[in-house]
């Protein structure tokens, strides 16, 4: 193994790294050195680290295979601290920073020598494809246990156990043209579009923009390609209409050109986001982009060849070799064997030789390779074995030799004997696959192009692929294709510009490539050494053969049977090879087999970025009333009701001990029944209704009558949906002949307003009426209890509070605590009550004034729990608690609130004439009095008539509300019971989970003051 | 004031000139979350313009336009999503929906304005609702104001799409706001009272990286 600080594979010069800046990092507990500009992968290769992981299923040692997002092996667990742990980071995409700490995600207990390795070596046959489904599914109950063991052995990284110290956020972006990828096609597209004045966003997943141009051997205008990149990026960054997003991956293409971009803002700097100018920085950001047009310049992924033991460390992609040599100044070995099907891959050999190391041979599957790069290789004296391929790699922890043989591509067989060449690196290239992932997210299926030997995206409105992403590979052509796509996109978005002047690129003459995916072996596929198709999911050519033999002929079934292209990989390297193998075995063509569906996300996105700032205190809005501060200071316990934070109860300290909820509620209930209580009722929905047809409209949306309600009067109203089921209720006051104030339940406010608007706009537009929410404008406080009037008299001016002139269900204007107020004599407690409405900005003053005067009357603040008890004692329903969308007004015993004879029909009337709504055994609302007064029945408890009935017992109803009443000194409940209105006085039973059976008597739901005298005093 | 209006619609002045302590919708938020003073580093500044008069005006555009011209001296916005201000920039009318406009005037003017509009509108079918206690105006100003908005609202706030004189109702984080642009450098958010604290905390958080300051 390597020595720390050695960087044995680092070249003395070349590459885009900064040799003057040394960075120290730790991998699997060992410290190494790298340079600024390195990725973790290039730094590991520079240090000669061969094994970076163990494979998912067979636990075979694996090394770095690629140089980008398609890397299947080098998945690492990143993070110094526990809180900073990030799983499944590709070492090829992680910029090196000083102090970076990484571990292999796989390889429990350690990557060099582990337990699972034995399984992989000895038990290859023990884990065939379909292994999970077959072996571990029986018995099904054991799956959870198996899964834990497998997951631990297989790795897949782990999530941190501590909460993340970093922040993540979202940004909503809009542009005319979104360019995904900043290689030659993307940069040209961006420049062309930007020159037109269109708003352009360029997202590129790498540390630096430039793509393949950063390791290109070609000259643009006789200058190194990277110079054109620098000039173009500089030009773009100086344009106001361009947003450049480096380190940003387009992860998902969604409907209507909505694209999600994941920008890693500080991941290249440190373990957790460092401060910037003393301010917290966002670690990563999800850009939610609505783009007019999208240009996909995502390039192509090189396909590796599928041969025996092609997963042993030292096997790599040919293009990755070039990238490491040219971009990072790292030669990942000493002796290279290259196995290719095309010309472009010859770059790897040329770069290797120029780096001063030994190219043993190039095995070229073509009979007569003759392109320009081939000639260059010949000129350098490199041995080229035509019509041949590497059929098998030798070696254990690192490649030690390559077996090369002549191959008959048509007959899929090896011809003659193999030659074994000693080497430590085998690079392969089977051609290039356009990166069509994002295009596939649109739902469009790609088309196979036989000439290109790859799938290319289909046309989708608003999206265009350019360059390598659609199979255009020659640099000059890529630049032109990109520029055209950019210009077209801008034009379609309504901009115009002249064509872009493009740099000159010498045309390279390449020989034709051949189709080669799986390399034949002397042995049949099933007996040959493992030939890996999908390295990340450990899918082999033999596995695909087995799948097809077992009848899984659809490529989608093959995928599920073998796990090919699953998870974080999403088929980047192996999918085309896998399809080609399935096609060969099934005797079909690749287009006949078709491709599987690529899904978002293209690469993993951290949960932090998905959540953004919608977490912790900002998870959901909390709505506050104008008196909230007072409630907080009083130590109220809060309950969330439709996002409102309502005081639930106000526990007091009694002899140094804080009251329990039960104690507080009992005290609050008695205060209201015996003295006076106050409730913050600001959260009730309030709708201002104006217009000459307001009254008529009310008559149509409420079940009861509104024709004769006079100004100054208030009425309770019940609302049904068109199915005749109760939906909401509340009081509505007549302010003027054409002017009403409707109140709704707290949770129903928005829904009711929407309901009114829908009926007005779609059914009765001829009615002249307008609705406006005034919920937030008014603060509402309910003063209720026998002493309410005395308290009101002290603080109210300009209103006659006399019981004969200000009667129950009247409202009046005046002043409370000097503040203009509307006062409503409505009661949700059954006691004398005044509901005060004042403009919310004055509310706290009014509230505090009431308390300044209220002490002597025993004024007690109460919360929603007490409110619930008090209203239930009176049999007042809460829509949504005592009703569930299946309860009619009749079921509630509220025929008094139904105006069957109103001249115009109303919502729900027709439904109430159905036989079902008048059948006798409907569940009807009743009161329940437990035989044991100390019992508080459980809400939701089922009601039966015969507790000794065998299970399943016929269920006759259920409890909807249940409390302890300090006034009744007993538990009591509201319930719905089949035919309950005819069952008064009968005994019912409530069997509980713990075996207890409660006994209760069916009674009237009005437990207190049945004549309603207390509210009228 | 026309007799018809008096009989059929009950107007009510919810404001008093008496010396009564008032609390803006953000009062609690200042106490709870603080209000960092702007510094030289602040690239965005937030300020509440509390206690203004807010009226929601509903009706037909033609008849309302005549009335607001006569009473307020400015016209209804000619286009959807328009925002019109008087010369002083103190009174504004914003298009909200095809038959709804938001009028914001200096605090204390709203009740008289409502009465004068009602008188001018006579028997026409319209509605005016006073919502002054139910919402507040929050301003954002500074070079990073637009980025703070991009982190908060789904609507496109680029100058080419959101010029001065435009106003929309849009999703803001998990609530909604009315967003308007009265001048080049200033954005206004009309925020519902009960959501004001959430909005304030969200803005403080979104503005943190720009060293947001709160002017009080």
């Amino acid at each position: 193994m390597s020595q720390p600080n050695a960087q044995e594979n680092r070249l003395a010069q070349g590459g885009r790294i900064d040799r003057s800046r040394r960075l120290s990092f730790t991998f699997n507990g060992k410290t190494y050195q790298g340079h600024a500009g390195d990725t973790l992968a290039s730094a590991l290769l520079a240090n000669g680290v061969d094994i970076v992981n163990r494979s998912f299923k067979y636990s075979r040692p694996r090394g770095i295979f690629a140089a980008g997002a398609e890397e299947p092996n080098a998945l690492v667990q990143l993070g110094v601290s526990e809180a900073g742990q990030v799983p499944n980071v590709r070492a090829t995409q992680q910029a090196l920073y000083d102090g970076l700490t990484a571990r292999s995600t796989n390889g429990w207990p350690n990557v060099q020598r582990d337990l699972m390795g034995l399984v992989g070596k000895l038990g290859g046959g023990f884990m065939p494809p379909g292994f999970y489904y077959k072996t571990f599914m029986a018995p099904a109950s054991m799956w959870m246990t198996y899964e834990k063991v497998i997951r631990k052995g297989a790795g897949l990284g782990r999530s941190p156990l501590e909460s993340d110290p970093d922040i993540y956020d979202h940004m909503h972006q809009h542009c005319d043209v979104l360019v995904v990828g900043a290689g030659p096609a993307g940069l040209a597209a961006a420049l062309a579009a930007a020159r037109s004045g269109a708003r352009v966003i360029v997202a590129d997943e790498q540390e630096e923009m430039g793509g393949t141009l950063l390791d290109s051997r070609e000259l643009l205008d006789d200058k190194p390609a990277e110079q054109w990149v620098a000039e173009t990026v500089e030009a773009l960054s100086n344009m106001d209409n361009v947003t450049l997003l480096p380190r940003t991956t387009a992860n998902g293409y969604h409907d209507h050109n909505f694209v999600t971009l994941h920008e890693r803002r500080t991941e290249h700097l440190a373990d957790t986001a460092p401060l910037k100018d003393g301010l917290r920085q966002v670690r990563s950001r999800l850009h939610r982009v609505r783009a007019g047009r999208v240009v996909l310049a995502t390039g192509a992924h090189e396909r590796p060849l599928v041969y025996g033991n092609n997963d042993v460390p030292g096997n790599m992609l040919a293009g990755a070799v070039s990238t490491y040599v040219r971009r990072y100044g790292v030669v990942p070995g000493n002796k290279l064997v290259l196995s290719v099907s095309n010309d472009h891959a010859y770059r790897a050999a040329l770069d290797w030789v120029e780096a001063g190391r030994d190219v043993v041979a190039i095995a070229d599957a073509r009979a007569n390779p003759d392109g320009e790069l081939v000639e260059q290789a010949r000129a350098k004296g490199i041995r080229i074995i035509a019509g041949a391929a590497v059929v098998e790699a030798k070696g254990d922890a690192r490649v030690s030799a390559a077996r090369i043989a002549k191959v008959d591509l048509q007959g899929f067989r090896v011809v003659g004997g193999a030659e074994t060449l000693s080497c430590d690196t085998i690079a392969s290239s089977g051609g290039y696959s356009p990166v069509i992932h994002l295009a596939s997210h649109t739902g469009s299926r790609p088309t196979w192009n036989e000439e290109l030997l790859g799938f290319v995206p289909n046309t989708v409105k608003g999206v265009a692929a350019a360059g390598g992403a659609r199979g255009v590979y020659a640099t000059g052509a890529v630049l032109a294709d990109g520029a055209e796509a950019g210009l077209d996109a801008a034009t379609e978005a309504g901009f115009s510009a002249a064509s872009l002047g493009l740099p000159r690129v010498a045309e390279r003459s390449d020989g034709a490539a051949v189709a080669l995916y799986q390399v034949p072996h002397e042995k049949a596929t099933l007996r040959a050494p493992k030939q890996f198709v999908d390295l990340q999911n450990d899918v082999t050519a033999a596995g695909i053969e087995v799948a097809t033999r077992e009848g899984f002929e659809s490529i989608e079934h093959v995928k599920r049977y073998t796990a090919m292209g699953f998870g974080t990989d999403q088929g980047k390297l192996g999918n085309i090879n896998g399809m080609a193998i399935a096609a060969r075995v099934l005797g079909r063509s690749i287009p006949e087999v078709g491709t599987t569906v690529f899904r978002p996300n293209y690469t993993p996105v951290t949960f932090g970025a998905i959540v953004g700032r919608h977490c912790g205190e900002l998870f959901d809005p909390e709505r506050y009333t104008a008196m909230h501060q007072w409630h907080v200071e009083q130590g109220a316990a809060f309950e969330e009701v439709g996002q409102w934070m309502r005081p639930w109860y106000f526990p007091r300290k009694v002899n140094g001990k804080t009251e329990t909820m039960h104690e507080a509620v009992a005290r609050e209930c008695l205060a209201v029944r015996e003295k006076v209580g106050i409730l913050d009722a600001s959260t009730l929905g309030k709708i201002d209704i104006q217009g000459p047809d307001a009254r008529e409209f009310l008559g149509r949306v409420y079940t009861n009558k509104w024709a004769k309600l006079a100004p100054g009067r208030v009425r309770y109203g019940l609302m049904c949906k068109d199915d005749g089921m109760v939906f909401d209720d509340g009081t509505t006051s007549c302010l003027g002949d054409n002017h009403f104030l409707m109140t709704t339940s707290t949770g129903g406010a928005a829904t009711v307003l929407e309901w009114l608007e829908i009926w007005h706009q779609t059914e009765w537009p001829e009615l002249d009426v307008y609705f406006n929410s005034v919920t937030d404008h008014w603060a509402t406080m309910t003063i209720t209890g026998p002493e309410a009037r005395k308290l009101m008299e002290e603080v109210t001016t300009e209103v006659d509070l006399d019981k004969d002139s200000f009667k129950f269900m009247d409202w009046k204007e005046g002043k409370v605590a000097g503040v203009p107020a509307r006062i409503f004599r409505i009661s949700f407690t059954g006691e004398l009550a005044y509901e005060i409405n004042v403009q919310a900005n004055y509310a706290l003053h009014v509230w505090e004034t009431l308390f300044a005067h209220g002490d002597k009357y025993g004024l007690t603040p109460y919360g929603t729990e007490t409110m619930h008890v008090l209203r239930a004692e009176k049999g007042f329903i809460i829509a949504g608690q005592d009703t569930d969308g299946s309860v009619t007004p009749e079921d509630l015993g509220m025929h008094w609130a139904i105006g069957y004879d109103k001249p115009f029909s109303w919502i729900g009337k027709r439904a109430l004439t159905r036989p079902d709504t008048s059948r006798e055994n409907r569940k009807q609302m009743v009161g329940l009095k437990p035989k044991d007064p100390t019992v508080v029945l459980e809400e939701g408890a089922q009601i039966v008539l015969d507790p000794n009935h065998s299970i399943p017992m016929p269920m006759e109803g259920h409890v909807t509300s249940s409390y302890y009443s300090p006034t009744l000194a007993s538990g009591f409940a509201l319930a719905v019971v089949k035919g309950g209105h005819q069952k008064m006085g009968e005994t019912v039973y409530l069997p509980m989970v713990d075996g207890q059976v409660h006994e209760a008597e069916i009674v009237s739901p009005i437990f207190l003051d049945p004549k309603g005298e207390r509210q009228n005093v | 004031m026309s007799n018809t209006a008096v009989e059929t619609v009950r107007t009510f002045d919810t404001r008093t000139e008496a010396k009564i302590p008032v609390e803006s919708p953000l009062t609690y938020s200042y106490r709870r979350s603080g209000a960092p003073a702007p510094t030289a580093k602040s690239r965005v500044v937030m300020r509440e313009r509390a206690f203004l008069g807010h009226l929601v005006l509903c009706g037909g555009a033609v008849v309302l336009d005549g009335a607001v011209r006569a009473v307020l001296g400015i016209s209804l916005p000619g286009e959807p999503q328009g925002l019109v201000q008087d010369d002083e920039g103190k009174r504004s009318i914003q298009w909200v929906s095809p038959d709804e406009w938001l009028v914001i005037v200096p605090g204390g003017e709203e009740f008289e304005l409502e009465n004068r509009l009602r008188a001018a509108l006579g028997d026409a079918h319209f509605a005016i609702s006073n919502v002054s206690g139910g919402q507040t105006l929050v301003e954002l100003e500074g070079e990073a104001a637009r980025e703070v908005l991009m982190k908060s609202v789904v609507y496109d706030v680029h100058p080419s799409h959101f010029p001065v004189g435009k106003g929309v109702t849009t999703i803001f984080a998990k609530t909604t706001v009315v967003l308007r642009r009265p001048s080049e450098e200033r954005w206004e958010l009309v925020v519902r009272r009960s959501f004001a604290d959430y909005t304030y905390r969200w803005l403080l958080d979104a503005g943190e990286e720009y060293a947001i300051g709160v002017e009080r």
Side-chain angles (χ1 to χ4, degrees), chain A residues 296-309:
Chain A
L296 298 175
T298 46
H301 284 153
E302 191 168 35
R303 283 194 298 270
L305 291 172
V306 178
Y307 49 88
N309 295 329

Side-chain angles (χ1 to χ4, degrees), chain A residues 779-781 783 792 816 821-823 834-838 846 850:
Chain A
T780 305
M781 28 205 122
I783 319 293
M792 287 295 286
V816 177
R822 280 184 180 145
I823 306 166
Y834 297 91
E835 222 166 84
I836 304 168
N837 272 11
V838 293
V846 175
L850 285 162

Side-chain angles (χ1 to χ4, degrees), chain A residues 940-958:
Chain A
Q942 291 294 322
I943 295 165
V944 302
L945 298 180
D946 175 8
N948 300 315
H949 194 288
S950 61
I951 292 172
M953 298 183 188
M955 293 182 285
E956 294 295 313
H958 63 270

Side-chain angles (χ1 to χ4, degrees), chain A residues 540-556:
Chain A
T540 61
I544 293 170
E545 269 204 38
V546 170
T548 56
R549 274 192 195 182
E550 297 209 358
F552 295 91
E553 296 189 357
S554 156
I555 194 66
E556 293 285 2

Side-chain angles (χ1 to χ4, degrees), chain A residues 847-960:
Chain A
W847 184 269
E848 284 175 341
T849 306
L850 285 162
F851 276 94
H853 292 262
D855 231 17
K856 53 185 167 297
Y857 304 112
L859 181 67
T860 302
Y862 67 94
T864 51
E865 190 64 22
T866 293
M867 175 188 84
H868 281 202
V869 176
L870 298 173
R871 64 89 201 177
E873 287 172 348
K874 288 291 298 172
F876 297 152
I877 60 153
I878 289 187
Q881 171 153 352
D882 300 298
T883 67
D884 60 2
S886 73
V887 180
T888 69
E890 298 277 9
D891 296 339
L892 294 172
M894 293 170 77
H895 12 270
W896 53 269
I898 311 175
Y900 284 116
D901 57 348
K902 284 194 279 185
F904 195 91
S905 186
W906 37 272
I907 301 170
K909 181 182 180 185
R910 190 162 173 270
L912 289 175
T913 62
R914 290 181 299 141
D916 183 63
T917 50
S918 52
R919 85 187 135 78
E920 281 182 359
N921 66 338
R922 287 188 64 83
K923 284 187 177 179
Q924 295 170 327
M925 193 169 94
V926 296
L928 285 186
K929 201 162 166 83
K931 291 277 164 78
D932 175 354
T934 65
V935 165
V936 177
L937 300 170
E938 265 183 42
E939 288 180 354
Q942 291 294 322
I943 295 165
V944 302
L945 298 180
D946 175 8
N948 300 315
H949 194 288
S950 61
I951 292 172
M953 298 183 188
M955 293 182 285
E956 294 295 313
H958 63 270
V959 176
T960 61

Side-chain angles (χ1 to χ4, degrees), chain B residues 82-185:
Chain B
L83 170 71
V84 171
Q85 300 171 90
D86 69 359
D87 292 341
E88 298 172 277
K90 286 184 171 169
R91 293 163 194 85
S92 65
I93 307 180
Q94 181 186 350
W95 181 95
V96 176
S97 82
D99 60 357
E100 185 180 336
W101 289 264
L102 173 64
V103 180
I104 300 185
V105 294
E109 288 185 11
E110 67 274 14
F111 187 64
E112 197 202 331
L113 174 63
E114 177 180 353
N115 284 331
R116 290 177 60 200
L117 284 172
R118 285 189 181 280
L121 286 159
D123 288 332
H125 170 46
F126 67 94
I128 302 173
S129 296
N130 183 350
V131 292
S132 308
Q135 50 199 40
T136 194
L137 198 88
V138 176
E139 288 183 350
L140 288 180
E141 202 168 339
E143 50 167 318
R146 191 159 71 87
E147 276 189 49
V148 170
L149 287 172
M150 287 167 72
K151 289 164 75 169
S152 312
V153 303
V154 297
Y155 201 79
D156 185 3
V157 290
H158 190 270
S160 66
H161 190 257
F162 210 128
V164 171
K166 184 169 180 173
V168 299
T169 306
T170 184
I171 294 171
F172 178 103
K174 284 185 182 162
T175 178
T176 58
V177 296
V178 170
L179 176 66
R180 21 199 266 164
R181 192 163 179 221
S183 67
E184 280 295 334
E185 61 285 345

Side-chain angles (χ1 to χ4, degrees), chain A residues 464-615:
Chain A
R470 67 182 196 100
V472 175
Y473 296 134
T475 305
V478 168
L479 288 167
D481 198 45
E484 195 184 331
L487 196 58
D488 283 354
T491 308
E492 285 170 27
F495 295 83
S496 61
S499 294
L500 197 63
L502 290 168
R504 253 176 309 108
V505 188
E507 223 169 285
R508 196 177 77 191
S509 102
D510 279 4
V514 289
L516 178 60
Y517 309 97
Q518 181 191 358
V519 179
H521 192 271
E522 292 93 335
K523 293 179 182 166
T525 300
L526 288 177
R527 282 187 295 278
K530 285 192 165 54
Q531 301 164 312
F532 284 92
V533 176
D534 176 341
L535 289 144
Q536 190 180 119
N537 295 300
D538 263 356
V539 178
T540 61
I544 293 170
E545 269 204 38
V546 170
T548 56
R549 274 192 195 182
E550 297 209 358
F552 295 91
E553 296 189 357
S554 156
I555 194 66
E556 293 285 2
H557 286 151
V558 171
K559 169 179 171 173
R560 275 148 191 86
Y561 188 80
T562 60
M564 178 177 78
F566 266 31
T568 71
D569 179 67
Q570 284 299 302
K572 291 183 186 71
L573 280 182
N575 259 26
I576 305 295
N577 284 335
M579 290 162 207
I581 292 164
R584 176 179 62 73
V585 178
L586 294 167
R588 296 181 193 158
S589 67
I590 292 179
E592 277 169 347
V593 167
T595 175
T596 58
V597 177
F598 300 105
R599 293 194 174 81
N601 287 313
Y602 176 67
T603 46
V605 181
T606 181
F607 274 112
I610 293 168
V611 171
R613 298 303 295 144
H614 297 281
C615 59

Side-chain angles (χ1 to χ4, degrees), chain A residues 285 613 619 624 688 841, chain B residues 32 129 174 193 205 209:
Chain A
R285 174 168 284 168
R613 298 303 295 144
F619 176 68
Y624 299 140
D688 188 37
N841 293 336
Chain B
R32 176 190 180 178
S129 296
K174 284 185 182 162
R193 174 180 254 282
D205 184 83
E209 65 177 302

